[in-house]
Amino acid sequence: MSNKRKKFDKLLQTITYISASVGVLILSLIVVFVIRNGVGLINFDLITNDYHAQFYNGGIDEVTTFSNTPRPNELATDDIYSEKWGIALRDGLDREGKPIIEVVFIAEDSPLYAMYDKNNLENTEFKIEVENIISSVKFDDKPSALSIYGAEYMINELDAENQFREIVFSSLGGGIRGSLITTLYTIGLTLIIALPIGIFSAIYLNEFAKKNRLTRIIRSMIEMLTGVPSIIFGLMGLAVFVPLTTRYTPATSANLISGSLTLAVILLPIIIRSTEESLKVIPDDFRFASLALGANNSQTTFKVVLPSALPGILTATRF
Amino acid sequence: MNKTKKWIQEIKNKLHFNNKKEIVDFFVRLIFMISTIISASFIIIIIIFIAREGIKPFVTDNEGLGAVNLFRFLTGRVWLTGTTFQSTLYSVGFIIINTIYVAVLSLLISMPIGVLTALFIAKIAPKKLSSVMRTVIELLAAIPSIVYGLFGAGVILPFVYNFAKTLGIQSPGGNSVLATVIVLSLMILPTITALSEVAIRSVGKDIEHGSLALGATKTQTHFKVILTSAKSGIFSAAILGIGRALGEATAVSLVAGNAQNGPSFGIFQTTSTLTSTMLQGLKETIGLDYDIRFSVGIVLMIVILITNALLNYVKRKVGNVNVK
């Protein structure tokens, strides 16, 4: 073999190796990126908390009686306690590493229980609770005590006064509890809608339908659904399902049902195709034997074909 | 008249059941048929409703604004001239060009890498390595596109921004043609690799052995025999890949920069695709500005159909060695 050809071979081989390694490397990089960025923020609170922190502005009328509770023993040494206001604060970090001030204890006779909701005066259940995050304490006659100055400063400023304008505090946000639940909810609802229709269609196409032109047209119409980009399905959901659901349900805009219906349409062709694949595997002998014994078509389908195809259908539709 | 009577008689015959078994059979058949008709009708529902909403801007006077000019809509170079809700001067001409430009560029990048990776997995790599790589590729093909978008926003945008800076170009946060092309090519790479690999593996062993027996080296066989035999499968992979690139919305809108005029051919210019234009502010708008997005949807579907038809034509033209 000529030398030139050998060199050319080597070149092509190197190109293949390089592109294979580049492809896999870049793709692994994506996984690494997502894991590296996400893993630091994952903990149990992420799953149990709501995404949006709820902010409250607590105002207070003139305080006459203050708390008398002495510092409780269960507080850690670096928790700052104010005997006057009956509240203990702790410096902490949120999940993104920013400093926050957390309420760790409130005495039972704390005057802070007299606070009212400045945004909603009828809110009778309003109160500051342990695990709330205090973002600032605002006074009438001096600068606000912000959370970046730390818990000690905030307590000192509070102790020096008998009155404040408002305390801004919030629940702990940044979690995905809501999204997680609704995601599972949507998937469940989608499957409830899509699975029966998809599996029935596949059975009809594979077991009952005559092999004629109409069946071919129906098949190609279902196939066409797979080629439609997802944003078009989204537009269809907006144009069809959202008006439909807002008319017949109390919902006023895009909602869970319209979302599930849209997703169900996206899933339908996939379910139909994979179910058909598992039905095709069942040998025709089974069907002929059942028919020869006098069973009709639907009996054959339900008592012979489906039991043997069921494991296949279940694995095919687990996505 | 006679015919109708005959039909009625036929239906009567069909609805006459001898026993319970036949009633059950009939209703089972009916339910299955109805589900099938429902499944099949969705494509028609999609077409009818999107067409109904999308044609509205061109035929009605849009609550006093006047109809949109179709020719101007398809050829213009600015998305919207004038103020929103007061102007009908929408056009997507430059966006169509942008979309095709971006999709073709990303296909040009990921096609060679994907096909050669597939060749490596199917023919060159040792069994264990190839099964690991195959798993990775299949995993990545199943990753939702928003994750690619996040990767683009988190890694590729800063990279493009810094790259432009070293060249002395001010890039708006990295949002550019280059970033979009990189994200899209990453996204269609697994699809192309997985499908090409199947095509390459299905090339008959006898062709390969024949080539080797004639004295060709392994590399020659791979490139000149196997890849050419798998041509049609590889073309199908390209068709699916470009379909995904054209229809991708979320990932693209995170990195494209939503240019309002164009077309943008420079790799550091911001761009916009049909999908990102549709998605941009979709939930915050009403009236004509909302309906026009459905028109963009129709344009997108037509673009995809034409591209697929074109690639299918090329696929038939380049011919096919018998694969099985």
Side-chain angles (χ1 to χ4, degrees):
Chain A
M1 197 178 358
S2 71
N3 220 358
K4 197 179 149 199
R5 200 178 246 188
K6 236 181 208 168
K7 270 185 191 156
F8 191 62
D9 262 20
K10 270 265 148 51
L11 183 74
L12 285 179
Q13 225 162 6
T14 333
I15 292 174
T16 315
Y17 281 7
I18 287 174
S19 58
S21 45
V22 162
V24 171
L25 244 172
I26 292 175
L27 296 176
S28 327
L29 207 77
I30 295 176
V31 180
V32 170
F33 162 79
V34 173
I35 290 175
R36 206 198 62 196
N37 273 290
V39 92
L41 299 178
I42 285 178
N43 56 25
F44 192 65
D45 287 347
L46 183 74
I47 296 169
T48 54
N49 283 342
D50 285 329
Y51 182 70
H52 290 290
Q54 185 74 46
F55 277 89
Y56 303 102
N57 299 60
I60 199 163
D61 295 324
E62 182 141 21
V63 186
T64 45
T65 49
F66 289 98
S67 164
N68 284 318
T69 316
R71 184 189 169 92
N73 292 328
E74 70 261 23
L75 288 183
T77 44
D78 53 347
D79 293 344
I80 322 280
Y81 181 68
S82 158
E83 203 176 310
K84 184 174 174 184
W85 295 94
I87 187 168
L89 303 179
R90 180 188 291 166
D91 285 315
L93 296 175
D94 68 2
R95 271 190 287 279
E96 285 162 9
K98 292 186 191 122
I100 51 169
I101 294 180
E102 198 184 338
V103 178
V104 284
F105 172 78
I106 300 181
E108 268 174 30
D109 54 355
S110 167
L112 293 176
Y113 280 128
M115 278 201 303
Y116 57 88
D117 191 347
K118 279 185 130 180
N119 303 320
N120 177 13
L121 294 175
E122 278 130 44
N123 185 359
T124 49
E125 285 170 16
F126 178 82
K127 66 176 190 221
I128 188 166
E129 283 169 333
V130 172
E131 283 195 345
N132 280 154
I133 309 293
I134 295 187
S135 29
S136 65
V137 181
K138 293 176 181 164
F139 301 100
D140 283 323
D141 49 353
K142 63 178 183 185
S144 311
L146 303 176
S147 58
I148 45 167
Y149 300 140
E152 194 169 358
Y153 178 83
M154 192 179 273
I155 291 284
N156 287 342
E157 292 290 294
L158 260 179
D159 276 346
E161 295 285 329
N162 287 337
Q163 174 72 332
F164 56 83
R165 187 149 56 88
E166 65 177 11
I167 292 184
V168 181
F169 63 97
S170 64
S171 58
L172 194 65
I176 54 167
R177 185 182 66 106
S179 335
L180 204 66
I181 291 173
T182 43
T183 305
L184 294 177
Y185 207 157
T186 316
I187 294 172
L189 217 56
T190 307
L191 288 184
I192 288 173
I193 299 165
L195 274 185
I197 298 184
I199 292 177
F200 286 174
S201 312
I203 292 172
Y204 181 80
L205 286 175
N206 206 49
E207 305 288 327
F208 293 98
K210 296 183 189 90
K211 297 224 171 354
N212 55 16
R213 199 147 154 235
L214 189 73
T215 315
R216 265 208 307 284
I217 291 174
I218 287 179
R219 231 180 248 277
S220 63
M221 273 158 78
I222 294 171
E223 280 296 308
M224 266 161 84
L225 272 183
T226 40
V228 177
S230 56
I231 186 149
I232 300 289
F233 284 112
L235 288 183
M236 191 246 339
L238 266 180
V240 183
F241 293 134
V242 173
L244 208 70
T245 46
T246 48
R247 186 177 300 166
Y248 294 111
T249 63
T252 53
S253 68
N255 51 63
L256 238 161
I257 302 174
S258 59
S260 305
L261 284 169
T262 313
L263 271 178
V265 178
I266 300 178
L267 283 187
L268 263 180
I270 304 170
I271 294 178
I272 291 175
R273 196 194 294 162
S274 46
T275 310
E276 264 202 274
E277 290 302 318
S278 41
L279 284 176
K280 270 181 196 145
V281 180
I282 309 298
D284 269 347
D285 306 1
F286 283 30
R287 295 188 184 100
F288 294 150
S290 165
L291 291 173
L293 286 171
N296 63 23
N297 222 331
S298 54
Q299 279 175 323
T300 311
T301 305
F302 275 104
K303 300 205 169 140
V304 179
V305 178
L306 273 188
S308 18
L310 201 61
I313 293 175
L314 286 182
T315 38
T317 47
R318 85 199 135 96
F319 314 109
Chain B
M1 203 62 209
N2 232 348
K3 234 180 183 180
T4 348
K5 264 186 189 166
K6 218 173 152 189
W7 274 1
I8 290 170
Q9 190 57 44
E10 239 175 63
I11 291 169
K12 264 186 186 166
N13 281 342
K14 275 202 173 169
L15 286 176
H16 178 75
F17 304 116
N18 291 323
N19 50 29
K20 211 178 132 200
K21 221 168 86 174
E22 283 185 8
I23 300 177
V24 173
D25 189 48
F26 177 76
F27 279 103
V28 165
R29 225 174 245 267
L30 200 70
I31 291 172
F32 284 10
M33 205 159 98
I34 289 170
S35 336
T36 314
I37 291 168
I38 290 174
S39 315
S41 63
F42 275 119
I43 187 82
I44 297 172
I45 292 178
I46 289 176
I47 291 171
I48 287 177
F49 273 82
I50 293 192
R52 209 187 66 174
E53 298 274 323
I55 288 172
K56 227 194 277 174
F58 303 105
V59 291
T60 63
D61 74 337
N62 299 309
E63 293 161 9
L65 290 175
V68 177
N69 183 337
L70 179 62
F71 180 73
R72 196 200 146 92
F73 179 72
L74 289 177
T75 54
R77 297 169 59 114
V78 181
W79 164 236
L80 174 59
T81 317
T83 323
T84 321
F85 306 127
Q86 288 169 22
S87 164
T88 59
L89 305 175
Y90 288 91
S91 36
V92 291
F94 74 101
I95 304 180
I96 298 174
I97 296 170
N98 276 350
T99 309
I100 295 172
Y101 178 64
V102 164
V104 167
L105 272 191
S106 36
L107 192 69
L108 283 183
I109 293 179
S110 54
M111 238 349 234
I113 298 182
V115 171
L116 290 183
T117 310
L119 181 69
F120 181 78
I121 294 175
K123 293 288 167 196
I124 300 173
K127 267 221 169 102
K128 261 193 186 155
L129 180 64
S130 76
S131 78
V132 169
M133 282 172 89
R134 198 173 297 144
T135 323
V136 171
I137 299 287
E138 269 163 20
L139 195 83
L140 284 157
I143 282 183
S145 53
I146 184 76
V147 175
Y148 287 98
L150 284 180
F151 178 74
V155 176
I156 291 167
L157 286 191
F159 166 75
V160 170
Y161 180 76
N162 291 327
F163 182 54
K165 214 159 106 186
T166 53
L167 295 180
I169 302 165
Q170 176 80 40
S171 162
N175 289 304
S176 59
V177 174
L178 182 62
T180 315
V181 167
I182 294 175
V183 167
L184 276 181
S185 41
L186 284 183
M187 218 175 62
I188 61 179
L189 185 58
T191 318
I192 290 181
T193 311
L195 286 169
S196 317
E197 200 238 325
V198 172
I200 289 171
R201 257 194 301 161
S202 65
V203 172
K205 274 263 188 272
D206 39 351
I207 302 181
E208 193 185 342
H209 289 163
S211 163
L212 289 174
L214 285 171
T217 60
K218 271 206 161 171
T219 314
Q220 281 173 328
T221 312
H222 290 155
F223 277 85
K224 295 203 171 144
V225 176
I226 292 176
L227 281 190
T228 36
S229 311
K231 218 161 30 182
S232 92
I234 291 170
F235 254 98
S236 312
I239 290 171
L240 256 154
I242 205 163
R244 207 177 165 194
L246 287 172
E248 177 43 46
T250 35
V252 168
S253 54
L254 282 176
V255 293
N258 279 328
Q260 297 294 308
N261 53 14
S264 22
F265 291 118
I267 57 168
F268 290 120
Q269 283 178 319
T270 56
T271 183
S272 58
T273 64
L274 289 168
T275 47
S276 75
T277 311
M278 248 186 277
L279 210 61
Q280 177 195 13
L282 178 65
K283 297 295 285 180
E284 284 99 39
T285 188
I286 48 162
L288 172 63
D289 199 42
Y290 178 81
D291 291 337
I292 201 85
R293 282 152 219 273
F294 285 84
S295 319
V296 180
I298 298 177
V299 174
L300 173 69
M301 278 170 84
I302 294 171
V303 166
I304 290 180
L305 276 180
I306 292 177
T307 325
N308 279 3
L310 225 106
L311 278 174
N312 269 320
Y313 176 76
V314 175
K315 181 177 151 188
R316 268 202 303 278
K317 267 276 136 128
V318 295
N320 188 18
V321 180
N322 193 14
V323 169
K324 278 257 159 101

